[in-house]
Amino acid sequence: MDAKRVMPETVAAQALGWVDDVTKAISPPIHTATTFVRDPDNQYRNGRVYARDHNPSFDQAEAVLCALEKGAHAALFASGMAAATAAFLALKPGNHVIAPKVMYWSLRNWLMNFATQWGLQVEFIDMSNLDELKRSMRFGKTKLVWIETPANPLWTITDIAAVAEITHAGGAMLAVDSTTASPVLTRPLTLGADIVMHSATKYLNGHSDLIAGALIASAESEYWARVKAVRAQLGGTMGSFEAWLLLRGMRTLFLRVEAACRSAERIADFFSRNSLVSEVLYPGLKNFVGHDIAARQMLGGFGGMLSIRVKAGEAAAIATAANVEIWKRATSLGGVESLIEHRASVEGVGTPVPSDLLRLSVGIENVDDLIDDLDQALIRGHGG
Ligand SMILES: *Cc1c(COP(=O)(O)O)cnc(C)c1O
């Protein structure tokens, strides 16, 4: 299948139309070999030596990710964190990087507590303030700008094209954590980003049964070679079965994300008119800061993630989560089942997340069931 001539839904559904040359099977085999035979003249002409680096079970999933993100190269990792940290560890000690204040908590923790000790100079800024970004760029020192959009868990929107322009003018690369948007809704490389990162644990796999990550690059580079070396040498590689599961999950990516978007819009609209809720945070709402940018850079929907702030405060928020019957009280996102969590409890001391906030990951259940369940949980959470 020529990915340039078909729509992305088609690429995903057929995993690029892969058919096994020998058996004509339409689903790829799971290669479990750890090692590959050398040619008699001591060469490795087929390009594979050892599976930590060259697992054939990665090929199709990486090709599909490249096609969906319109990138040149993709690399699967054992988790989203393995992918994200590889993007930073491929830099050099002494390099300066800029990241947003509002971002995925574990990665922010790692940047603060590990990356700095390793030698990176890490600066956290308000990414929606482009002047602050311009002021923070240090020509020759800043090598990477990291953004996440929509960003956990306030769904802050960052203008990818505008940030890419400033980043490149400052001599740095732009990496985008596009986990919550998924390639269905945003293609950062087409907006000027150099690297896209996914926690494939979330929408890409979509079934809450796999930890996985990926990086996709716009072009071959010395930096990308270092990313691949970090993967092979630190060993954050995915298993063969996991790569196969991910490929299967991605076949339904578009249906799942489209369903989640439609339902999230209904839920956001319903609860923004609920007297027990002080605020609904969802990029699809017209009064949401960043809505106009989201409408421009997101394609066909605003995502399946939203947060609600419970007017009566933290205790009522926790009690609301305690009273759901259909939503699952759990962290993570992007699965077929809807999840609710009191985010500040997950992030702990020092979190910038308001204590009255409940983070919602909308799945593919019937939307009226989801609305009714959250509505009754809010009432019971207030002693009703
Ligand atoms: C989950 C997540 C990660 C980390 O991915 P893992 O697969 O859990 O390691 C990074 N960024 C975002 C936005 C996430 O939601």
Side-chain angles (χ1 to χ4, degrees):
M1 176 182 291
D2 180 355
K4 292 194 179 65
R5 297 189 53 198
V6 296
M7 298 301 279
E9 293 90 328
T10 309
V11 168
Q14 293 200 5
L16 275 168
W18 186 92
V19 175
D20 188 81
D21 281 342
V22 178
T23 63
K24 305 295 170 197
I26 61 168
S27 163
I30 303 173
H31 290 276
T32 56
T34 55
T35 192
F36 304 87
V37 173
R38 206 183 256 277
D39 298 332
D41 61 355
N42 217 28
Q43 302 297 303
Y44 266 117
R45 258 178 224 87
N46 85 7
R48 298 185 203 276
V49 178
Y50 187 59
R52 178 150 37 71
D53 217 354
H54 306 128
N55 189 337
S57 293
F58 297 170
D59 295 359
Q60 203 60 20
E62 289 180 343
V64 169
L65 281 168
C66 263
L68 294 179
E69 290 289 4
K70 310 217 178 292
H73 294 281
L76 297 183
F77 287 83
S79 67
M81 281 298 289
T85 54
F88 288 98
L89 292 171
L91 300 170
K92 294 175 185 163
N95 288 169
H96 174 246
V97 300
I98 303 173
K101 280 186 183 142
V102 177
M103 67 180 289
Y104 179 69
W105 182 245
S106 276
L107 184 58
R108 183 163 179 267
N109 252 336
W110 182 84
L111 286 170
M112 284 192 306
N113 300 319
F114 184 100
T116 47
Q117 286 176 12
W118 183 73
L120 287 180
Q121 294 178 34
V122 186
E123 189 170 343
F124 294 97
I125 68 162
D126 171 2
M127 263 317 155
S128 61
N129 183 341
L130 297 177
D131 288 329
E132 192 179 343
L133 175 62
K134 276 183 209 156
R135 280 197 304 275
S136 306
M137 295 294 303
R138 300 189 212 153
F139 201 88
K141 279 215 94 176
T142 308
K143 294 298 177 192
L144 190 73
V145 173
W146 182 272
I147 62 175
E148 179 182 334
T149 182
N152 264 285
L154 308 176
W155 317 116
T156 318
I157 298 293
T158 300
D159 186 335
I160 298 172
V163 169
E165 210 178 298
I166 296 167
T167 301
H168 293 155
M173 291 178 297
L174 175 63
V176 181
D177 180 342
S178 200
T179 298
T180 56
S182 89
V184 177
L185 304 175
T186 310
R187 318 235 162 85
L189 301 181
T190 67
L191 299 170
D194 303 284
I195 299 284
V196 176
M197 174 255 159
H198 284 286
S199 166
T201 310
K202 314 296 169 54
Y203 288 103
L204 290 176
N205 181 59
H207 293 75
S208 310
D209 53 10
L210 169 67
I211 298 280
L215 292 176
I216 302 101
S218 62
E220 184 67 62
S221 64
E222 194 195 320
Y223 169 76
W224 182 251
R226 285 174 66 87
V227 165
K228 294 294 292 282
V230 169
R231 182 178 76 168
Q233 292 165 11
L234 270 68
T237 32
M238 187 184 278
S240 301
F241 180 60
E242 284 72 15
W244 182 88
L245 258 187
L246 174 60
L247 189 65
R248 187 174 73 162
M250 287 195 294
R251 289 176 187 261
T252 55
L253 175 67
F254 282 78
L255 286 178
R256 290 185 283 101
V257 171
E258 281 157 15
C261 285
R262 276 197 308 277
S263 295
E265 269 172 47
R266 285 268 316 274
I267 293 166
D269 178 57
F270 184 89
F271 289 100
S272 56
R273 290 180 278 105
N274 185 302
S275 62
L276 300 175
V277 172
S278 59
E279 191 181 9
V280 175
L281 302 170
Y282 185 60
L285 293 172
K286 296 230 161 33
N287 62 357
F288 185 81
V289 178
H291 170 77
D292 292 345
I293 299 166
R296 230 186 308 123
Q297 81 185 8
M298 297 182 81
L299 313 160
F302 296 93
M305 297 302 299
L306 69 153
S307 296
I308 61 171
R309 297 186 63 181
V310 177
K311 203 180 279 174
E314 177 171 11
I318 292 172
T320 297
N323 279 291
V324 290
E325 286 166 6
I326 294 172
W327 295 77
K328 293 285 173 283
R329 223 173 6 266
T331 194
S332 197
L333 61 99
V336 288
E337 57 292 287
S338 295
L339 306 179
I340 185 167
E341 74 170 338
H342 181 249
R343 189 68 195 166
S345 302
V346 175
E347 299 195 1
V349 180
T351 172
V353 177
S355 64
D356 57 8
L357 181 142
L358 291 172
R359 188 180 88 167
L360 308 177
S361 170
V362 179
I364 64 168
E365 305 92 334
N366 179 285
V367 65
D368 294 319
D369 285 344
L370 294 175
I371 289 174
D372 290 349
D373 187 40
L374 188 53
D375 198 26
Q376 67 79 28
L378 270 165
I379 294 166
R380 281 166 61 199
H382 288 74

